[in-house]
Amino acid sequence: MANDNTPGVNLSKVTLSKATPTITLTKPGDQQGVMRVNLNWSSGPKGFFRRSKAVDLDLGCLYELSNGAKGVVQAVGDNFGKLNSEPYIQLDSDDRSGAAAGGENMHINLARPELFRRILIFAFIYEGVPNWAAADGVVTLFPTSGPQIEVRLDSPVSGARSCAIALLQNQGTGITVQREVNYINGSQRAIDEAYRWGMEWHSACK
C-alpha cells in the first residue's frame, strides 16, 4: 500500500484531512483480504443536556461494481449485502447498541479489487436530533496490509441527516480513498442524487 502522502508521523494510522484528502489503498495486482470499516461516535449527550435523546448513527455505502451493478448496503430494508458474492460488501447485523458496543462495522472483500468501480461510505442519523458535533463521529478503515485510514466527521452542519464520508474509486490504477465529509440534507436518495449514482429507490430503502 502506498503511503507517500501520509500526513503526520504515525505510520500505523493515516488521517485524511482537507489538506491531505486522498491515499492509495491498493495498487494494480495487489491482493488483500477483507477490510473492516468501523464507524464510531459518542453515544449520547453529556452534562446539562443529558436528558436529550441520544444520537444513533447508521453506517452504509453505495457501490458500483466493474460490471455495472449498483446498489446500497445498509440496515434499512435489510440490505446487509454479501461478502463472498456480489456485492462483496457486508454490514454487520444492526442491534442498535451503537457506540456502546464499539460502533458499527462493514466489511469489504478486497481479494479482487478490480471487481469494484466505486464505493461511497456514508452515515446517517437513525435516531435523535441531527447533531453531528455531539456525535463526534469517526470512520476507520482497517486494510489487511498498510496503515489504518481514519476520517473524522468534523466541520459538522447542523440539521443535516446524512454524511457522505469517504469515496473509494478504482480508475484502473488501483483503488484510492478520498475524504468527503459532505453533509447532506436528506436521506440516502439525496446522497445518490448528490453523487449522481443513478439508483432506483423503493420506499423501504430510502
Side-chain angles (χ1 to χ4, degrees):
M1 175 177 181
N3 57 1
D4 298 339
N5 296 323
T6 301
V9 296
N10 185 356
L11 298 180
S12 65
K13 180 182 291 186
V14 175
T15 300
L16 299 185
S17 64
K18 291 180 181 179
T20 311
T22 306
I23 189 172
T24 299
L25 178 63
T26 69
K27 290 183 176 181
D30 277 359
Q31 291 183 341
Q32 292 207 19
V34 175
M35 179 176 71
R36 180 167 66 97
V37 179
N38 173 261
L39 167 66
N40 212 335
W41 67 95
S42 174
S43 59
K46 299 177 176 63
F48 180 78
F49 297 101
R50 188 180 296 275
R51 290 177 296 175
S52 301
K53 192 170 184 179
V55 175
D56 185 13
L57 302 185
D58 268 6
L59 176 67
C61 74
L62 299 178
Y63 66 82
E64 182 179 2
L65 303 182
S66 57
N67 64 8
K70 298 178 182 179
V72 61
V73 174
Q74 61 179 9
V76 177
D78 292 332
N79 294 306
F80 288 97
K82 297 179 181 179
L83 197 57
N84 296 311
S85 59
E86 290 190 15
Y88 309 102
I89 305 169
Q90 188 169 38
L91 183 67
D92 282 355
S93 296
D94 186 14
D95 59 7
R96 296 293 171 211
S97 57
E104 293 198 357
N105 293 286
M106 184 166 59
H107 307 273
I108 302 174
N109 190 342
L110 292 176
R112 296 181 60 192
E114 71 276 7
L115 294 176
F116 298 100
R117 184 171 295 167
R118 55 180 179 159
I119 302 170
L120 181 64
I121 299 169
F122 64 79
F124 65 96
I125 295 180
Y126 179 80
E127 285 186 335
V129 176
N131 186 342
W132 294 96
D136 191 26
V138 58
V139 162
T140 307
L141 281 61
F142 296 87
T144 54
S145 65
Q148 301 170 18
I149 302 170
E150 180 182 87
V151 182
R152 303 202 65 86
L153 277 60
D154 51 13
S155 305
V157 175
S158 179
R161 179 63 58 177
S162 305
C163 180
I165 299 168
L167 180 63
L168 283 65
Q169 296 186 90
N170 187 352
Q171 298 176 324
T173 56
I175 295 179
T176 59
V177 182
Q178 178 173 304
R179 176 190 183 274
E180 294 292 322
V181 192
N182 180 16
Y183 296 92
I184 295 172
N185 291 313
S187 62
Q188 296 88 318
R189 174 178 284 188
I191 299 174
D192 170 14
E193 293 173 351
Y195 285 84
R196 299 180 180 180
W197 216 267
M199 294 274 292
E200 293 185 6
W201 294 90
H202 302 290
S203 58
C205 300
K206 63 184 178 180

